[in-house]
Amino acid sequence: MTKESDYDVIVVGGGFAGMYALYRLRNQGHSVRVLEAGSDVGGTWFWNRYPGARCDVPSLEYSYGFSKELEQEWDWPEVFSAQPDILRYANHVADRFDLRRDIQFNTRVVGVTYLETQNLWQLRTEDNAVLTSRFCVMATGCLSVPNKPDLPGADSFTGRVLHTGSWPNEPVSLSGQRVGIIGTGSSGVQAIPELAREAEHLTVFQRTPVYTVPANRNRMRPAVQDEFREHYPQIREMQRNNFGGVSGFQPVKSVAHKSTGEPRPSLPKDILSLTHAERVALVEDRSLAVLLAFPGIYSDPQANEAANEAYREGVRRLVNDPATAEKLLPKTYGLGCKRQVLDRDYYATFNRDNVTLVDLMEDPIVSIQPTGVETGSGLRQLDVLVYATGFDAMTGALLRAGIKGRGGETLNNKWRHGPAAYLGLQISGFPNLFTVTGPGSPSVLCNMLVAIEQHVDWIVDCISYLEENGIDSIEPLPEAEEQWVNHVNEVARGTMYTAPTCNSWYLGANIEGKPRIFMPYVGGLPRYRERCEEIVMQGYAGFELKPARARSANQSKN
Ligand code: NA7
């Protein structure tokens, strides 16, 4: 490639996307540099070290599919892995494929500028170093910018402040401490039982009650792992053809174990064919998770409310104190609006003597004081305050990278009314800049590892195509981008995700002032992937490809 730049490709981010991009680009013979803000690989799993952090996709599926050897050699200890095991896996991948030599750690990118006359990207780091490349791949993650609400007096707190999304590397001891936690999304729900076990007292500040169902807590059975290994090629194909990128592969040989008693009757298809009492009995018998097995609850508002009601009744039976139970019941939105949360002992935690629930809807935070959190009902004295308040999702990291495209247009200006990108892969006005799992792609609605591999493969193949065909730059045509954005909105319309009562981070509703737009593509991975492939077959339909000659001619005119 060119000698005009420091690198052929600079990748921003050393999480699972950046690591795979480095692996593939390097194998294609490109010079690559990965710039990573953290001190090591792992992205989400590097930063989210809070107690209880765990993936909500089974580990045999939430794993790279690009290396047969890797699939065969890695042992997962649990069916749904905890953060330390996933981070160990990321480290293993980095070692096994010798990735670290091309990753520059502790390097936060603060400027990404398109140098128009040279057709290069110039990246500036926090310590003012400048690097250039022909292509730039933003592998900055969908949930990588922690959201810390601007509460009055927040800086005055003299105790320890922690955020689940940037938990310290070194062990945090909470024993004997009065701990407060704000937020009851996935992170809060996972952390709360663990914090309650360790702290002297835990105060949970809840704004919106959550729908959460018990997680699978099984250890990995070696026979199941072996059966997956035997069938991985088929499983990866099943993932690619599954709506959410999860194969759902059912081990056959390894599940043949002794039956205990009568087999359970199968569920009816429609939850509305059951009475409320029958639904509640089902929940009692099989746990809250059984409600998710009725597919109709995600499309039919009546079925949805029937499930919500049974859910609420289930919670009333799990929490001893009726007043606390009532506060924990989600009533303003339905199942399926937000990402489903999985927990271990969440509701049982509120039966402990050392846990207090504060319902911020009736007793709001007035201010943060040096010694605790003041709500309408008084001051709660705390030694430690944990924010489990989520992320500026999907667009946060891109908008903070200081991206400037053609004509000096900033991404922040282009996206002031909400993100617009073609396939979530490229943005018009920003030639040769790619985003991995960007807005408008299935990303967070899909098994992230499968979504990442599909995107990175598309990007790397695209770069190779440009090279082989003497093409200098690629960027979406504005009309193709607009059509895609319209399509993304169209498929989201009428789903539970966009119900008027729904306020989720998918919609940007958790960040004040963020435009309310459903950001991921809800049409499913297979449909999306096919579209990406068709576009390539049609010679990158909807993209403008500029041959080297065109640019030189333009330059000589300037
Ligand atoms: P979430 O799901 O965005 O949850 C954040 C929680 O923090 C949620 O309960 C919020 O309440 C609460 N929150 C946010 N701001 C405030 C303020 N100002 N006051 C009180 N409470 C607040 O983030 P998570 O980290 O739990 O999970 C994100 C994803 O990571 C998850 O979906 C998985 O994909 C992994 P709210 O609901 O906004 O009223």
Side-chain angles (χ1 to χ4, degrees):
M1 255 198 201
T2 177
K3 292 276 178 290
E4 295 161 7
S5 59
D6 297 323
Y7 300 96
D8 298 335
V9 190
I10 294 180
V11 177
V12 184
F16 279 111
M19 290 165 72
Y20 181 51
L22 168 58
Y23 170 83
R24 282 272 347 248
L25 287 161
R26 194 200 264 169
N27 282 359
Q28 292 289 108
H30 301 300
S31 64
V32 194
R33 191 75 169 160
V34 177
L35 305 179
E36 164 57 48
S39 60
D40 211 336
V41 295
T44 286
W45 304 104
F46 173 85
W47 295 104
N48 285 264
R49 296 164 187 261
Y50 61 86
R54 189 173 285 278
C55 189
D56 55 7
V57 176
S59 297
L60 286 164
E61 305 251 10
Y62 189 90
S63 58
Y64 284 123
F66 69 82
S67 160
K68 288 188 174 39
E69 295 75 23
L70 178 63
E71 281 171 344
Q72 296 303 315
E73 74 200 8
W74 184 258
D75 288 329
W76 291 105
E78 292 181 271
V79 175
F80 286 78
S81 288
Q83 173 272 334
D85 290 318
I86 305 174
L87 189 59
R88 251 193 297 283
Y89 174 72
N91 276 282
H92 171 72
V93 173
D95 293 340
R96 194 189 195 292
F97 300 102
D98 190 18
L99 298 180
R100 284 195 182 81
R101 72 182 148 94
D102 289 319
I103 307 180
Q104 196 171 310
F105 293 106
N106 302 306
T107 305
R108 185 171 289 281
V109 171
V110 293
V112 181
T113 307
Y114 181 56
L115 306 177
E116 208 158 338
T117 51
Q118 296 158 71
N119 188 32
L120 295 179
W121 282 95
Q122 182 191 69
L123 284 88
R124 196 162 51 79
T125 67
E126 210 164 30
D127 54 5
N128 259 323
V130 168
L131 300 164
T132 54
S133 62
R134 271 197 65 197
F135 298 96
C136 178
V137 177
M138 299 300 290
T140 41
C142 294
L143 293 160
S144 47
V145 175
N147 165 46
K148 190 157 168 271
D150 192 14
L151 297 168
D155 292 342
S156 70
F157 184 64
T158 52
R160 185 158 193 196
V161 177
L162 299 164
H163 195 296
T164 49
S166 52
W167 200 262
N169 221 326
E170 62 283 356
V172 175
S173 170
L174 300 172
S175 127
Q177 308 276 296
R178 295 162 304 174
V179 179
I181 181 166
I182 304 177
T184 52
S186 290
S187 308
V189 165
Q190 288 185 336
I192 285 164
E194 300 297 326
L195 301 181
R197 276 182 203 113
E198 205 191 336
E200 180 188 296
H201 191 90
L202 179 70
T203 306
V204 177
F205 297 94
Q206 168 198 271
R207 188 164 67 181
T208 309
V210 63
Y211 288 99
T212 169
V213 304
N216 175 324
R217 307 163 76 128
N218 294 342
R219 302 289 307 166
M220 180 65 73
R221 285 194 288 139
V224 170
Q225 183 158 278
D226 288 348
E227 205 170 329
F228 260 76
R229 284 178 176 154
E230 217 179 292
H231 292 91
Y232 256 132
Q234 175 197 342
I235 289 167
R236 299 301 181 195
E237 196 49 34
M238 286 162 80
Q239 288 180 329
R240 282 189 280 271
N241 290 303
N242 174 267
F243 193 90
V246 179
S247 78
F249 174 76
Q250 295 297 328
V252 180
K253 291 183 278 177
S254 49
V255 290
H257 54 272
K258 274 191 219 131
S259 146
T260 48
E262 291 291 302
R264 280 179 159 167
S266 57
L267 295 174
K269 275 209 173 71
D270 184 2
I271 195 166
L272 294 173
S273 68
L274 299 173
T275 63
H276 176 66
E278 285 169 336
R279 291 172 208 138
V280 173
L282 202 55
V283 168
E284 191 104 302
D285 183 39
R286 303 200 193 179
S287 96
L288 292 166
V290 74
L291 296 168
L292 309 182
F294 293 97
I297 69 164
Y298 298 109
S299 50
D300 173 0
Q302 221 190 326
N304 187 259
E305 192 44 29
N308 302 339
E309 262 308 320
Y311 181 94
R312 292 175 199 127
E313 193 48 41
V315 174
R316 288 190 186 103
R317 292 166 190 227
L318 291 172
V319 179
N320 298 342
D321 173 39
T324 304
E326 218 49 36
K327 289 178 188 164
L328 287 166
L329 306 182
K331 290 181 182 157
T332 56
Y333 66 101
L335 277 159
C337 137
K338 304 193 187 205
R339 187 179 176 107
Q340 185 56 54
V341 177
L342 305 180
D343 71 87
R344 296 181 165 212
D345 305 330
Y346 181 64
Y347 289 115
T349 300
F350 293 93
N351 295 333
R352 294 175 65 108
D353 292 338
N354 71 333
V355 176
T356 308
L357 176 67
V358 178
D359 177 359
L360 298 178
M361 297 312 269
E362 61 183 40
D363 187 13
I365 294 177
V366 176
S367 64
I368 308 291
Q369 295 289 326
T371 55
V373 173
E374 190 180 357
T375 64
S377 65
L379 179 68
R380 318 267 168 175
Q381 302 269 358
L382 301 173
D383 304 304
V384 179
L385 180 56
V386 177
Y387 288 87
T389 43
F391 301 89
D392 185 352
M394 302 207 65
T395 54
L398 294 169
L399 293 174
R400 273 167 186 76
I403 302 177
K404 259 192 212 158
R406 209 157 12 78
E409 182 176 26
T410 63
L411 186 65
N412 299 51
N413 185 52
K414 171 157 174 142
W415 283 5
R416 65 194 180 283
H417 302 303
Y422 189 33
L423 304 164
L425 278 163
Q426 265 218 308
I427 305 155
S428 117
F430 299 80
N432 294 346
L433 178 109
F434 298 91
T435 53
V436 183
T437 62
S441 74
S443 62
V444 289
L445 299 181
C446 184
N447 177 350
M448 279 306 281
L449 273 269
V450 175
I452 282 169
E453 286 192 335
Q454 186 259 341
H455 260 200
V456 168
D457 287 342
W458 194 98
I459 293 166
V460 175
D461 292 350
C462 173
I463 291 175
S464 300
Y465 175 89
L466 302 183
E467 264 211 305
E468 285 157 19
N469 291 279
I471 293 163
D472 240 16
S473 84
I474 181 166
E475 79 176 280
L477 294 164
E479 55 274 23
E481 182 173 273
E482 197 183 326
Q483 273 168 21
W484 182 255
V485 171
N486 291 341
H487 173 63
V488 171
N489 290 331
E490 190 56 39
V491 287
R493 201 165 298 140
T495 63
M496 291 305 297
Y497 291 121
T498 55
T501 51
C502 186
N503 288 310
S504 67
W505 56 259
Y506 293 137
L507 285 159
N510 62 328
I511 303 292
E512 222 181 297
K514 194 165 169 170
R516 185 183 164 97
I517 298 216
F518 189 76
M519 294 179 283
Y521 178 60
V522 75
L525 176 70
R527 187 166 161 198
Y528 172 81
R529 191 174 48 80
E530 275 160 27
R531 188 71 199 119
C532 289
E533 285 165 11
E534 258 167 39
I535 282 168
V536 173
M537 301 283 284
Q538 294 160 356
Y540 289 90
F543 287 95
E544 185 182 15
L545 276 62
K546 284 198 186 139
R549 285 184 309 280
R551 197 175 61 82
S552 338
N554 279 345
Q555 260 178 273
S556 54
K557 271 191 232 149
N558 291 340

